[in-house]
Amino acid sequence: MIDHLNYIKEAVIRGNHTEIKALVEKALDAGVDPTALINDALIAAMDIVGREFGEGKIFVPEMLVSAVTMKAGLEVVKMRIVGDENRSRGTVVMATVKGDLHDIGKNLVAMMLEGAGFRVLDLGVDLSVEKLIDQVKSIQPEILGLSALLTTTMPEMQKVIQELQTQGLRDKIKVMVGGAPVDRVFAEKIGADGYGANAAEAVELARRFVAERA
Ligand code: B1M
């Protein structure tokens, strides 16, 4: 039997972006569970890439090609699992904070939220406090999701929450935060409404926020 997950994991680690789509399609066609594919192949591969980068075994260009490969694989899974756009549980605005270009985790959270029936407006990466607040004012989402992957960009999350407070918007929106260096203690400290350790937890949290409003 073909070890689909291992092939995909290896393809991401090696940055084999030309073959990843076909490999993921083949795995899904063979009945591999999309969640297992995401967790045990795509994310598992990025963990190894991150470790190798941290140990100085690979450098930014290699990390980037792996990221591109992971994103291409994720896109294929997304096409399969994102459901009917007409049913909306609520609107979520997602962004990676200022100074931070990491978007794979955010994209994954956005994709799982869409799959769970939320309307997701993804503002992208490197979002300044000002831009985020402007977008919140114009879109008026129920939930704002902030992602940060660098210890140096985590404080931006607190700035956003403080600015929501200053502008009298804080009680109109739930703020959830996440990203590898973020944890529950940090989330509480900065006054976020919740923290998701992974995409599944983010979806649970969003569901809870919406249920609390009802
Ligand atoms: Co960067 N990078 N990187 N990087 N990178 C890390 C984060 C790092 C830990 C690597 C390392 O040293 N081992 C390190 C940070 C160290 C620190 O801050 N203490 C690091 C560094 C140093 C850097 C640069 C500074 C390197 C340099 O230039 N010298 C630079 C910074 C650029 C910038 O942002 N300004 C940089 C650049 C890059 C690339 C561009 C090459 C690339 C990003 C490409 C892209 O995203 N489009 C990259 C990558 C790929 C990584 C690693 C290897 C992988 C990140 C990733 O995608 N993981 C990463 C090492 C690692 O984390 N193991 C690393 C997979 C992803 C699915 O997980 O994003 O954690 P994650 O998301 C998870 C959860 O955290 C959670 O759910 C997701 C799914 O489970 N989650 C949320 C995320 N957001 C959420 C939001 C929520 C809820 C849950 O609610 C709203």
Side-chain angles (χ1 to χ4, degrees):
M1 195 185 142
I2 305 175
D3 187 350
H4 291 284
L5 295 182
N6 210 33
Y7 277 129
I8 292 167
K9 192 167 151 189
E10 281 300 314
V12 174
I13 293 169
R14 292 176 202 281
N16 189 349
H17 55 94
T18 53
E19 282 181 31
I20 189 72
K21 285 187 181 177
L23 286 174
V24 173
E25 269 160 9
K26 209 167 160 187
L28 293 171
D29 288 344
V32 170
D33 173 35
T35 307
L37 200 155
I38 291 171
N39 291 332
D40 303 336
L42 297 176
I43 294 182
M46 291 316 287
D47 284 344
I48 293 172
V49 169
R51 204 162 53 233
E52 292 191 345
F53 176 75
E55 291 167 356
K57 290 183 183 156
I58 62 165
F59 302 95
V60 172
E62 287 99 323
M63 191 156 74
L64 193 53
V65 184
S66 287
V68 167
T69 308
M70 152 100 182
K71 284 171 84 171
L74 207 52
E75 209 39 53
V76 177
V77 185
K78 179 178 171 177
M79 308 289 259
R80 301 273 185 113
I81 71 167
V82 171
D84 180 0
E85 285 176 16
N86 290 327
R87 65 194 166 104
S88 177
R89 288 173 184 264
T91 301
V92 185
V93 162
M94 290 283 304
T96 301
V97 295
K98 187 172 180 225
D100 203 321
L101 304 176
H102 296 85
D103 67 354
I104 295 174
K106 167 186 65 62
N107 296 350
L108 190 53
V109 172
M111 180 183 106
M112 298 298 274
L113 284 167
E114 279 182 305
F118 287 88
R119 174 173 167 250
V120 180
L121 296 164
D122 187 347
L123 304 182
V125 297
D126 193 20
L127 261 286
S128 67
V129 175
E130 297 72 29
K131 207 160 185 181
L132 267 167
I133 300 293
D134 280 354
Q135 291 295 321
V136 165
K137 280 183 184 162
S138 95
I139 299 167
Q140 300 184 359
E142 281 83 12
I143 301 167
L144 173 63
L146 299 174
S147 184
L149 261 284
L150 298 171
T151 45
T152 49
T153 58
M154 287 163 68
E156 287 296 318
M157 294 175 154
Q158 184 165 21
K159 290 186 194 164
V160 175
I161 293 172
Q162 277 168 350
E163 194 55 27
L164 286 171
Q165 188 82 46
T166 305
Q167 304 228 8
L169 299 165
R170 186 65 189 91
D171 58 350
K172 296 184 175 64
I173 192 168
K174 294 284 187 186
V175 181
M176 69 172 165
V177 295
V182 179
D183 62 19
R184 206 168 300 281
V185 174
F186 175 76
E188 276 171 22
K189 193 177 126 210
I190 66 170
D193 297 297
Y195 155 75
N198 50 48
E201 279 193 23
V203 170
E204 267 323 297
L205 203 55
R207 283 194 175 123
R208 185 146 42 86
F209 290 155
V210 171
E212 281 167 7
R213 284 172 72 101

PDB file of all heavy atoms in Angstrom, residues 130-146:
ATOM      1  N   GLU A 130      -3.629  50.306  12.387  1.00  0.00           N
ATOM      2  CA  GLU A 130      -4.541  51.261  11.749  1.00  0.00           C
ATOM      3  C   GLU A 130      -5.386  50.574  10.673  1.00  0.00           C
ATOM      4  O   GLU A 130      -6.595  50.742  10.600  1.00  0.00           O
ATOM      5  CB  GLU A 130      -3.762  52.414  11.099  1.00  0.00           C
ATOM      6  CG  GLU A 130      -2.964  53.285  12.069  1.00  0.00           C
ATOM      7  CD  GLU A 130      -1.725  52.596  12.643  1.00  0.00           C
ATOM      8  OE1 GLU A 130      -1.151  51.718  11.960  1.00  0.00           O
ATOM      9  OE2 GLU A 130      -1.345  52.905  13.784  1.00  0.00           O
ATOM     10  N   LYS A 131      -4.702  49.802   9.828  1.00  0.00           N
ATOM     11  CA  LYS A 131      -5.408  49.137   8.732  1.00  0.00           C
ATOM     12  C   LYS A 131      -6.437  48.139   9.270  1.00  0.00           C
ATOM     13  O   LYS A 131      -7.565  48.044   8.771  1.00  0.00           O
ATOM     14  CB  LYS A 131      -4.398  48.423   7.836  1.00  0.00           C
ATOM     15  CG  LYS A 131      -4.868  48.266   6.437  1.00  0.00           C
ATOM     16  CD  LYS A 131      -3.730  48.024   5.491  1.00  0.00           C
ATOM     17  CE  LYS A 131      -4.259  47.995   4.070  1.00  0.00           C
ATOM     18  NZ  LYS A 131      -3.236  47.732   3.092  1.00  0.00           N
ATOM     19  N   LEU A 132      -6.023  47.420  10.311  1.00  0.00           N
ATOM     20  CA  LEU A 132      -6.937  46.436  10.896  1.00  0.00           C
ATOM     21  C   LEU A 132      -8.186  47.105  11.469  1.00  0.00           C
ATOM     22  O   LEU A 132      -9.305  46.649  11.250  1.00  0.00           O
ATOM     23  CB  LEU A 132      -6.217  45.670  12.008  1.00  0.00           C
ATOM     24  CG  LEU A 132      -5.546  44.374  11.583  1.00  0.00           C
ATOM     25  CD1 LEU A 132      -4.616  43.866  12.654  1.00  0.00           C
ATOM     26  CD2 LEU A 132      -6.593  43.321  11.269  1.00  0.00           C
ATOM     27  N   ILE A 133      -7.954  48.195  12.182  1.00  0.00           N
ATOM     28  CA  ILE A 133      -9.099  48.880  12.795  1.00  0.00           C
ATOM     29  C   ILE A 133     -10.030  49.422  11.698  1.00  0.00           C
ATOM     30  O   ILE A 133     -11.251  49.301  11.787  1.00  0.00           O
ATOM     31  CB  ILE A 133      -8.614  50.027  13.730  1.00  0.00           C
ATOM     32  CG1 ILE A 133      -7.735  49.471  14.853  1.00  0.00           C
ATOM     33  CG2 ILE A 133      -9.808  50.825  14.286  1.00  0.00           C
ATOM     34  CD1 ILE A 133      -8.402  48.588  15.868  1.00  0.00           C
ATOM     35  N   ASP A 134      -9.444  49.993  10.650  1.00  0.00           N
ATOM     36  CA  ASP A 134     -10.261  50.484   9.525  1.00  0.00           C
ATOM     37  C   ASP A 134     -11.133  49.367   8.957  1.00  0.00           C
ATOM     38  O   ASP A 134     -12.318  49.557   8.686  1.00  0.00           O
ATOM     39  CB  ASP A 134      -9.361  50.994   8.389  1.00  0.00           C
ATOM     40  CG  ASP A 134      -8.847  52.390   8.679  1.00  0.00           C
ATOM     41  OD1 ASP A 134      -9.294  52.974   9.687  1.00  0.00           O
ATOM     42  OD2 ASP A 134      -7.991  52.867   7.908  1.00  0.00           O
ATOM     43  N   GLN A 135     -10.523  48.203   8.772  1.00  0.00           N
ATOM     44  CA  GLN A 135     -11.252  47.066   8.186  1.00  0.00           C
ATOM     45  C   GLN A 135     -12.349  46.574   9.137  1.00  0.00           C
ATOM     46  O   GLN A 135     -13.430  46.207   8.699  1.00  0.00           O
ATOM     47  CB  GLN A 135     -10.288  45.928   7.848  1.00  0.00           C
ATOM     48  CG  GLN A 135      -9.338  46.244   6.705  1.00  0.00           C
ATOM     49  CD  GLN A 135     -10.074  46.428   5.391  1.00  0.00           C
ATOM     50  OE1 GLN A 135     -11.024  45.716   5.090  1.00  0.00           O
ATOM     51  NE2 GLN A 135      -9.655  47.411   4.609  1.00  0.00           N
ATOM     52  N   VAL A 136     -12.033  46.544  10.425  1.00  0.00           N
ATOM     53  CA  VAL A 136     -13.042  46.108  11.407  1.00  0.00           C
ATOM     54  C   VAL A 136     -14.241  47.059  11.360  1.00  0.00           C
ATOM     55  O   VAL A 136     -15.391  46.630  11.379  1.00  0.00           O
ATOM     56  CB  VAL A 136     -12.430  46.043  12.828  1.00  0.00           C
ATOM     57  CG1 VAL A 136     -13.516  45.955  13.895  1.00  0.00           C
ATOM     58  CG2 VAL A 136     -11.500  44.841  12.938  1.00  0.00           C
ATOM     59  N   LYS A 137     -13.934  48.364  11.257  1.00  0.00           N
ATOM     60  CA  LYS A 137     -15.023  49.348  11.202  1.00  0.00           C
ATOM     61  C   LYS A 137     -15.883  49.134   9.968  1.00  0.00           C
ATOM     62  O   LYS A 137     -17.100  49.233  10.018  1.00  0.00           O
ATOM     63  CB  LYS A 137     -14.432  50.761  11.167  1.00  0.00           C
ATOM     64  CG  LYS A 137     -14.012  51.273  12.524  1.00  0.00           C
ATOM     65  CD  LYS A 137     -13.527  52.698  12.353  1.00  0.00           C
ATOM     66  CE  LYS A 137     -12.998  53.278  13.632  1.00  0.00           C
ATOM     67  NZ  LYS A 137     -12.163  54.449  13.398  1.00  0.00           N
ATOM     68  N   SER A 138     -15.240  48.880   8.836  1.00  0.00           N
ATOM     69  CA  SER A 138     -16.046  48.775   7.620  1.00  0.00           C
ATOM     70  C   SER A 138     -16.722  47.405   7.470  1.00  0.00           C
ATOM     71  O   SER A 138     -17.854  47.328   7.023  1.00  0.00           O
ATOM     72  CB  SER A 138     -15.216  49.180   6.391  1.00  0.00           C
ATOM     73  OG  SER A 138     -14.663  48.091   5.769  1.00  0.00           O
ATOM     74  N   ILE A 139     -16.062  46.333   7.890  1.00  0.00           N
ATOM     75  CA  ILE A 139     -16.657  44.993   7.703  1.00  0.00           C
ATOM     76  C   ILE A 139     -17.605  44.614   8.856  1.00  0.00           C
ATOM     77  O   ILE A 139     -18.564  43.885   8.660  1.00  0.00           O
ATOM     78  CB  ILE A 139     -15.534  43.923   7.560  1.00  0.00           C
ATOM     79  CG1 ILE A 139     -14.657  44.228   6.338  1.00  0.00           C
ATOM     80  CG2 ILE A 139     -16.108  42.515   7.456  1.00  0.00           C
ATOM     81  CD1 ILE A 139     -13.357  43.454   6.268  1.00  0.00           C
ATOM     82  N   GLN A 140     -17.305  45.121  10.048  1.00  0.00           N
ATOM     83  CA  GLN A 140     -18.080  44.819  11.256  1.00  0.00           C
ATOM     84  C   GLN A 140     -18.256  43.313  11.478  1.00  0.00           C
ATOM     85  O   GLN A 140     -19.382  42.797  11.561  1.00  0.00           O
ATOM     86  CB  GLN A 140     -19.448  45.493  11.209  1.00  0.00           C
ATOM     87  CG  GLN A 140     -19.330  46.991  11.098  1.00  0.00           C
ATOM     88  CD  GLN A 140     -20.671  47.692  11.154  1.00  0.00           C
ATOM     89  OE1 GLN A 140     -21.731  47.084  11.251  1.00  0.00           O
ATOM     90  NE2 GLN A 140     -20.641  48.997  11.098  1.00  0.00           N
ATOM     91  N   PRO A 141     -17.129  42.593  11.564  1.00  0.00           N
ATOM     92  CA  PRO A 141     -17.222  41.142  11.780  1.00  0.00           C
ATOM     93  C   PRO A 141     -17.585  40.817  13.229  1.00  0.00           C
ATOM     94  O   PRO A 141     -17.408  41.658  14.113  1.00  0.00           O
ATOM     95  CB  PRO A 141     -15.791  40.669  11.487  1.00  0.00           C
ATOM     96  CG  PRO A 141     -14.948  41.832  11.900  1.00  0.00           C
ATOM     97  CD  PRO A 141     -15.744  43.073  11.585  1.00  0.00           C
ATOM     98  N   GLU A 142     -18.062  39.590  13.436  1.00  0.00           N
ATOM     99  CA  GLU A 142     -18.322  39.149  14.806  1.00  0.00           C
ATOM    100  C   GLU A 142     -17.001  38.802  15.504  1.00  0.00           C
ATOM    101  O   GLU A 142     -16.870  38.924  16.707  1.00  0.00           O
ATOM    102  CB  GLU A 142     -19.202  37.883  14.812  1.00  0.00           C
ATOM    103  CG  GLU A 142     -20.668  38.132  14.591  1.00  0.00           C
ATOM    104  CD  GLU A 142     -21.019  38.260  13.111  1.00  0.00           C
ATOM    105  OE1 GLU A 142     -20.178  37.944  12.264  1.00  0.00           O
ATOM    106  OE2 GLU A 142     -22.156  38.694  12.823  1.00  0.00           O
ATOM    107  N   ILE A 143     -16.046  38.324  14.683  1.00  0.00           N
ATOM    108  CA  ILE A 143     -14.787  37.819  15.256  1.00  0.00           C
ATOM    109  C   ILE A 143     -13.588  38.376  14.484  1.00  0.00           C
ATOM    110  O   ILE A 143     -13.606  38.461  13.253  1.00  0.00           O
ATOM    111  CB  ILE A 143     -14.754  36.267  15.181  1.00  0.00           C
ATOM    112  CG1 ILE A 143     -15.947  35.669  15.957  1.00  0.00           C
ATOM    113  CG2 ILE A 143     -13.433  35.722  15.721  1.00  0.00           C
ATOM    114  CD1 ILE A 143     -16.189  34.196  15.682  1.00  0.00           C
ATOM    115  N   LEU A 144     -12.543  38.733  15.257  1.00  0.00           N
ATOM    116  CA  LEU A 144     -11.274  39.121  14.645  1.00  0.00           C
ATOM    117  C   LEU A 144     -10.237  38.069  15.048  1.00  0.00           C
ATOM    118  O   LEU A 144     -10.036  37.823  16.243  1.00  0.00           O
ATOM    119  CB  LEU A 144     -10.843  40.506  15.155  1.00  0.00           C
ATOM    120  CG  LEU A 144      -9.452  40.985  14.731  1.00  0.00           C
ATOM    121  CD1 LEU A 144      -9.356  41.144  13.213  1.00  0.00           C
ATOM    122  CD2 LEU A 144      -9.113  42.318  15.404  1.00  0.00           C
ATOM    123  N   GLY A 145      -9.594  37.456  14.066  1.00  0.00           N
ATOM    124  CA  GLY A 145      -8.581  36.433  14.339  1.00  0.00           C
ATOM    125  C   GLY A 145      -7.204  36.947  13.983  1.00  0.00           C
ATOM    126  O   GLY A 145      -6.965  37.337  12.840  1.00  0.00           O
ATOM    127  N   LEU A 146      -6.314  36.968  14.977  1.00  0.00           N
ATOM    128  CA  LEU A 146      -4.965  37.485  14.744  1.00  0.00           C
ATOM    129  C   LEU A 146      -3.941  36.372  14.900  1.00  0.00           C
ATOM    130  O   LEU A 146      -3.988  35.604  15.868  1.00  0.00           O
ATOM    131  CB  LEU A 146      -4.647  38.590  15.749  1.00  0.00           C
ATOM    132  CG  LEU A 146      -5.552  39.820  15.720  1.00  0.00           C
ATOM    133  CD1 LEU A 146      -5.201  40.759  16.874  1.00  0.00           C
ATOM    134  CD2 LEU A 146      -5.405  40.549  14.374  1.00  0.00           C
TER     135      LEU A 146
END
